[in-house]
Amino acid sequence: MAGKKTQRRRRKGTARKKRRRGERSWLPKLIGAGLIAGALIVLGTYAYFSRDLPSVATLRDYRPPQTTRVYDRHGKVLGEIFTERRTVIPMSQVPRNVVLSVLAAEDADFYEHEGLDYYGILRAVGRDIMEGRAAQGGSTITQQVVKLMLLTPERTISRKLRELILARRLENELTKDEILHLYLNNVNFGHGRYGVQEAARYYFEKNASELTLAEATLLAGIPQAPSRLSPRRNLEAARRRQRYVLAQLEDKREVYWPDLSKEAIAAARDAKVEPVPLSEGSGAAPEVLTIARRVLRDAAGEEALGAGGYKVHTSIDLSLQRKARAALQRGLSAIDARQGYVGPIRKKRRRGPKATPPTESLRMGRTYFARVTGVDAEDEQIRLDVAGHGAILSMRDAARHNPERLDAKRFAKKGDLFPVSIAQFGSEEDPAVARLERGPEGAVVVIDPRTRAVLAMIGGFAARSGFNRASQAIRQPGSTFKPVVYARAIQSRKFTAASLVVDAPAVYDEWKPRNYEQWNYQGAVRLRQALARSINMVAIRVVEDVGVQDVAQFARQNGITTKLEEDMALALGASGVRPIELTNAYATFAAGGRWAPTRLVTRIVAPDGAEIPLTPQEPSRDVMDPSEAYIMTSMLRSVVTEGTGMPAQRLERPVVGKTGTSNEARDAWFIGYSPSVVAGVWVGFDDQRSLGKRETGTRTALPIWIEVMGAADQSPSDTDFAMPSGVIRTRIDPSSGLLAYPGQEDAIDEVFLSGTAPVEVARPPDVADPNLFMMEQFDEEGESASSDGAKLPREERVLGGMAAP
């Protein structure tokens, strides 16, 4: 019995052992199967997320877009052209304190790991799982390079897995220094600045190689959150981040960078660095940047604009550019004050403009009279109905016409009218953005007549890109065109500065031109006087004698490219011209008769240092002899000494010029020059409205010109115009234009081209003219008459425009 029990126990024990051995034999298999499954999952995941990944090898030849800089004549930055603001520099130009600061801020173990921080990854994955999304960082510099340059910025777990795969590949493809070089030249430092060189220039106006440790640690803290940690936006937050970077430098100094002394770190901690004020060149010359962009595209191709890295040198003087715009702004603001161009238009009874009728669509470049529909006091915006379309006007953009700095609620009321243009089209969700056009606009051009370098170019009141009135506006020049007429007359030898021409009413094919002072006709006047006093009828008679086509051709030779109507109204500047072209035509007089195209871009240097040839310009040409040009300059001098330009005398230096006012005072001009500088000023509304009562070239444009010339001409004040050969100076009788009689007390000096001076001597007043007796014997058929039939005394008769011999 006992034996049987013993056997049963043995059998049960043997069975249990077999079961345990069976269980132990399955455990390794199960673990092995799990490992294989895990490996397959990892491999599958790796294979899945490795699909269509970009090649890290492309980063060896990566050429990111860089910033193209535009410089003035003195090497100051006028502005930048870019898709991304970036200037790539080699590692040799990155100082060690910048490298250490970036490593301390972003990845102290960078030179130790193989692209991944596994502890950081586990920490990030844990938080990602808790959040259900990619919410935590944990990226090494290598991973950040991948994210910046190879992947999209989306925050998803799948994108993170691709980032890990590419980070390991990148470490196998590039050296640590090459990866760090990519990071330092591509990371965002805020305000659209990419790379450490752009950051150094923007925040401290120096190169990266010149950064101190204090400056480097302040910059190194920015990439974590460029908007929040920008020292320009939040200096205190930036300094807190800087203190963290300095603490990291100190904590890890002995392990990673023992060459960095504690004293240097302490000194950086004590230094209170902050960004320098923004450069004065920022936004000063948008007109120049637009032209520089076009010239760069023409010279180097469209791809040059995207690639960037070029240096475009111009003839602009940044200081003068700023002063010229300030002068224009003061001049236009003075007109605003005189004419009441402030606030909205409130109709008085039935007078005044009406709202623009509804149109199917809005367009830029047109002025609309918009009605106020409401005011948004919180956002400081005015809601408008612009020809049936909704628009908003920001109070910030209305500052020029809001001298009392009223808020939106007090500035405008429902039903008020504003003249506006469209700055930005609207959409179904957002209204259009309007720009206030309450006051007039203007343009200023300053040229060196010897080189035709453009020293300043102002296209409007505000420094913003868009319509450049200096080079694009086509406006009636009024009397500023008369010097072109008289220059051709002098050149033709039909006229001299002393020629007598009749100032009297006349009719030409039902057109009855008038002088500005319609009641005042002066009879026969010398050509010099006619120019100084801006007498219209004399200019018309000169064109009639010289020939309209002849004058138009001369204007084209002088660089006027706009269409000139070949009729008698050309004499009064009825055909539109561009301000820069007419100003350059005056530069021909100042340069002794030689026309040349204006030059603004002087040199383009490619990123590799090679100079890019500029597109050839039209060749220079002689339009007048130096002697002819000098006669014209001398006549224009009388405009300043005794005519419409007399206020220019307060410059207290030899200057010449001409005023101009078009019909109904739609345009006001003054163009003039000294021996070394030519300047032109135009003022008017873009939509051809009248500037207002009593606004003329003398009152409106000349004060601006005087201020601009005072800033532009730094030559000695006694520098005068040199008289060339081929010109003679002689004394004449001011009444007849003939040679002065001996002892004549009121005789004046006059200049003539050689061979054109009068040879007849004027008679003293006490000597009778024998021709008078004969004239009295003639009947009416034999008497001389003006073009409208008026009888004229002998001294007013003109033969070919010159005093009768």
Side-chain angles (χ1 to χ4, degrees):
M1 195 69 176
K4 288 181 179 179
K5 289 180 179 180
T6 300
Q7 288 178 355
R8 282 199 297 271
R9 282 197 296 273
R10 286 176 178 172
R11 284 197 297 271
K12 289 179 180 180
T14 300
R16 281 196 296 272
K17 289 178 181 179
K18 287 181 179 181
R19 284 198 300 273
R20 283 198 293 270
R21 283 198 299 270
E23 290 173 358
R24 284 196 296 270
S25 66
W26 275 105
L27 185 59
K29 293 178 181 178
L30 183 62
I31 293 172
L35 291 173
I36 291 171
L40 289 174
I41 291 172
V42 170
L43 291 173
T45 302
Y46 180 85
Y48 178 81
F49 287 105
S50 294
R51 296 175 308 157
D52 303 323
L53 284 180
S55 171
V56 297
T58 59
L59 297 184
R60 283 196 174 277
D61 298 317
Y62 180 64
R63 302 185 189 280
Q66 300 188 62
T67 302
T68 289
R69 285 188 170 79
V70 182
Y71 298 90
D72 86 335
R73 65 193 301 110
H74 303 297
K76 295 180 180 178
V77 176
L78 284 173
E80 299 169 335
I81 301 169
F82 56 88
T83 52
E84 290 181 355
R85 277 192 172 107
R86 178 187 290 105
T87 300
V88 175
I89 57 173
M91 284 298 290
S92 60
Q93 294 181 21
V94 182
R96 183 161 171 74
N97 57 27
V98 172
V99 172
L100 298 185
S101 298
V102 169
L103 293 180
E106 296 293 330
D107 188 2
D109 297 322
F110 174 69
Y111 280 95
E112 304 299 323
H113 61 63
E114 296 180 346
L116 303 176
D117 176 7
Y118 294 105
Y119 175 74
I121 291 173
L122 291 175
R123 184 179 68 247
V125 168
R127 297 210 180 178
D128 289 351
I129 292 173
M130 296 294 292
E131 299 266 348
R133 58 187 179 88
Q136 174 72 14
S139 296
T140 64
I141 284 178
T142 308
Q143 290 174 258
Q144 291 186 55
V145 169
V146 168
K147 181 167 57 178
L148 285 170
M149 305 175 69
L150 295 175
L151 296 176
T152 61
E154 60 178 339
R155 297 173 65 88
T156 63
I157 293 175
S158 62
R159 202 274 301 153
K160 191 72 173 179
L161 291 172
R162 288 185 170 88
E163 176 189 304
L164 299 179
I165 296 169
L166 287 172
R168 287 293 298 121
R169 291 182 181 179
L170 183 60
E171 289 275 343
N172 292 329
E173 181 71 28
L174 302 180
T175 66
K176 288 286 187 181
D177 285 348
E178 289 171 336
I179 295 172
L180 185 59
H181 176 255
L182 289 173
Y183 178 83
L184 290 172
N185 281 295
N186 286 277
V187 69
N188 183 7
F189 283 92
H191 302 278
R193 267 67 184 182
Y194 293 84
V196 68
Q197 175 70 358
E198 282 293 326
R201 282 178 168 165
Y202 178 66
Y203 292 106
F204 300 114
E205 278 195 356
K206 57 174 64 176
N207 292 319
S209 60
E210 302 167 320
L211 291 171
T212 65
L213 182 61
E215 293 165 341
T217 51
L218 188 69
L219 294 185
I222 298 174
Q224 185 191 58
S227 180
R228 179 172 57 86
L229 297 175
S230 163
R232 289 204 186 277
R233 287 189 179 140
N234 193 339
L235 184 58
E236 188 51 44
R239 282 176 171 164
R240 283 197 299 271
R241 177 67 176 165
Q242 180 195 30
R243 288 194 289 272
Y244 165 79
V245 176
L246 288 166
Q248 287 289 95
L249 281 174
E250 190 168 28
D251 292 345
K252 301 183 178 183
R253 185 186 69 84
E254 293 186 1
V255 177
Y256 292 115
W257 33 79
D259 57 315
L260 181 64
S261 68
K262 290 182 178 180
E263 291 76 15
I265 297 173
R269 188 177 285 116
D270 293 337
K272 299 298 182 184
V273 296
E274 58 184 58
V276 299
L278 288 173
S279 170
E280 64 176 11
S282 179
E287 304 93 338
V288 178
L289 293 190
T290 300
I291 294 174
R293 176 188 291 271
R294 174 176 54 78
V295 174
L296 175 61
R297 183 184 61 240
D298 292 345
E302 187 72 35
E303 62 278 3
L305 296 177
Y310 290 81
K311 295 179 180 179
V312 181
H313 297 269
T314 74
S315 57
I316 294 293
D317 184 316
L318 176 57
S319 176
L320 179 60
Q321 177 82 6
R322 292 170 55 238
K323 291 175 182 176
R325 191 180 303 278
L328 179 65
Q329 290 174 340
R330 278 189 285 271
L332 295 180
S333 295
I335 302 168
D336 293 344
R338 284 197 300 268
Q339 300 294 335
Y341 296 138
V342 294
I345 299 173
R346 290 182 176 138
K347 295 179 66 174
K348 297 179 180 178
R349 298 177 184 175
R350 295 185 179 181
R351 291 182 298 170
K354 298 180 180 180
T356 304
T359 59
E360 185 175 342
S361 61
L362 300 175
R363 62 183 178 86
M364 292 185 178
R366 178 182 171 183
T367 299
Y368 300 87
F369 282 91
R371 190 173 299 282
V372 176
T373 60
V375 173
D376 190 334
E378 184 177 348
D379 292 334
E380 283 292 283
Q381 293 177 340
I382 299 170
R383 295 191 296 274
L384 302 171
D385 178 340
V386 184
H389 303 267
I392 57 170
L393 172 66
S394 168
M395 287 299 297
R396 183 181 62 251
D397 295 333
R400 170 185 168 186
H401 305 289
N402 183 18
E404 296 181 11
R405 300 296 182 260
L406 303 176
D407 59 27
K409 205 167 185 179
R410 291 188 296 159
F411 183 70
K413 297 178 181 179
K414 190 173 181 179
D416 286 345
L417 290 181
F418 282 108
V420 301
S421 61
I422 300 301
Q424 181 179 317
F425 291 120
S427 63
E428 292 182 2
E429 296 81 14
D430 299 311
V433 177
R435 179 178 294 148
L436 190 56
E437 303 290 352
R438 188 74 171 91
E441 277 292 351
V444 178
V445 181
V446 184
I447 299 172
D448 181 337
R450 295 157 296 191
T451 64
R452 302 306 168 94
V454 178
L455 304 178
M457 175 185 284
I458 310 299
F461 183 96
R464 59 179 172 231
S465 58
F467 185 55
N468 179 1
R469 295 164 187 84
S471 63
Q472 294 176 294
I474 299 177
R475 306 295 300 224
Q476 287 188 345
S479 293
T480 48
F481 194 79
K482 288 175 182 172
V484 177
V485 173
Y486 291 154
R488 178 61 191 130
I490 295 295
Q491 186 183 54
S492 71
R493 287 1 186 226
K494 292 181 178 181
F495 292 83
T496 72
S499 295
L500 291 180
V501 185
V502 175
D503 173 27
V507 178
Y508 298 90
D509 295 330
E510 299 184 0
W511 176 53
K512 188 176 182 180
R514 298 173 297 185
N515 289 334
Y516 180 73
E517 295 176 338
Q518 301 173 21
W519 63 90
N520 186 8
Y521 292 94
Q522 302 178 34
V525 295
R526 286 178 288 113
L527 206 63
R528 178 183 291 274
Q529 291 174 302
L531 179 62
R533 300 171 190 172
S534 202
I535 300 174
N536 289 344
M537 296 310 302
V538 172
I540 291 170
R541 285 193 162 91
V542 169
V543 165
E544 183 181 24
D545 200 326
V546 173
V548 171
Q549 292 181 339
D550 201 350
V551 171
Q553 181 58 30
F554 179 77
R556 296 185 190 102
Q557 283 292 306
N558 228 334
I560 305 299
T561 62
T562 51
K563 183 180 179 181
L564 300 176
E565 297 295 336
E566 296 184 2
D567 55 32
M568 298 299 291
L570 182 65
L572 306 185
S575 293
V577 298
R578 295 183 177 90
I580 192 170
E581 291 185 352
L582 189 55
T583 303
N584 194 37
Y586 277 60
T588 299
F589 304 147
R594 186 164 183 79
W595 179 88
T598 54
R599 295 188 313 114
L600 193 145
V601 173
T602 58
R603 192 161 61 99
I604 298 176
V605 180
D608 61 1
E611 191 160 328
I612 305 296
L614 299 176
T615 303
Q617 290 184 288
E618 190 176 354
S620 305
R621 55 180 172 264
D622 289 323
V623 177
M624 308 175 72
D625 291 338
S627 56
E628 297 163 352
Y630 180 81
I631 299 293
M632 199 63 245
T633 294
S634 176
M635 292 174 64
L636 286 169
R637 178 69 175 153
S638 293
V639 177
V640 174
T641 59
E642 58 184 88
T644 58
M646 288 179 66
Q649 292 181 38
R650 63 176 193 257
L651 286 170
E652 297 183 346
R653 64 168 61 246
V655 293
V656 306
K658 185 69 189 76
T659 53
T661 310
S662 67
N663 287 341
E664 299 180 17
R666 293 189 180 99
D667 305 90
W669 297 74
F670 192 88
I671 304 177
Y673 53 93
S674 69
S676 57
V677 177
V678 183
V681 173
W682 166 83
V683 176
F685 282 98
D686 289 338
D687 63 349
Q688 307 279 343
R689 277 176 281 162
S690 172
L691 287 165
K693 291 182 179 180
R694 294 183 294 279
E695 296 295 340
T696 63
T698 302
R699 190 185 194 197
T700 307
L702 181 53
I704 301 169
W705 184 89
I706 291 170
E707 187 174 348
V708 170
M709 280 296 287
D713 194 346
Q714 299 300 313
S715 62
S717 59
D718 59 351
T719 304
D720 207 342
F721 298 95
M723 188 170 75
S725 60
V727 176
I728 63 171
R729 190 184 301 275
T730 190
R731 302 281 286 175
I732 67 166
D733 170 29
S735 297
S736 65
L738 302 177
L739 293 177
Y741 57 83
Q744 184 171 353
E745 293 182 357
D746 64 345
I748 60 173
D749 284 341
E750 187 55 276
V751 289
F752 298 88
L753 298 176
S754 296
T756 65
V759 294
E760 185 178 350
V761 178
R763 290 178 179 82
D766 58 347
V767 176
D769 185 351
N771 290 324
L772 291 179
F773 176 77
M774 296 179 62
M775 290 175 63
E776 291 173 358
Q777 308 306 310
F778 293 156
D779 59 17
E780 192 173 10
E781 292 179 357
E783 295 182 275
S784 296
S786 68
S787 59
D788 65 345
K791 299 177 182 179
L792 303 176
R794 182 258 176 209
E795 64 268 23
E796 293 181 2
R797 293 204 302 273
V798 178
L799 297 179
M802 298 181 67

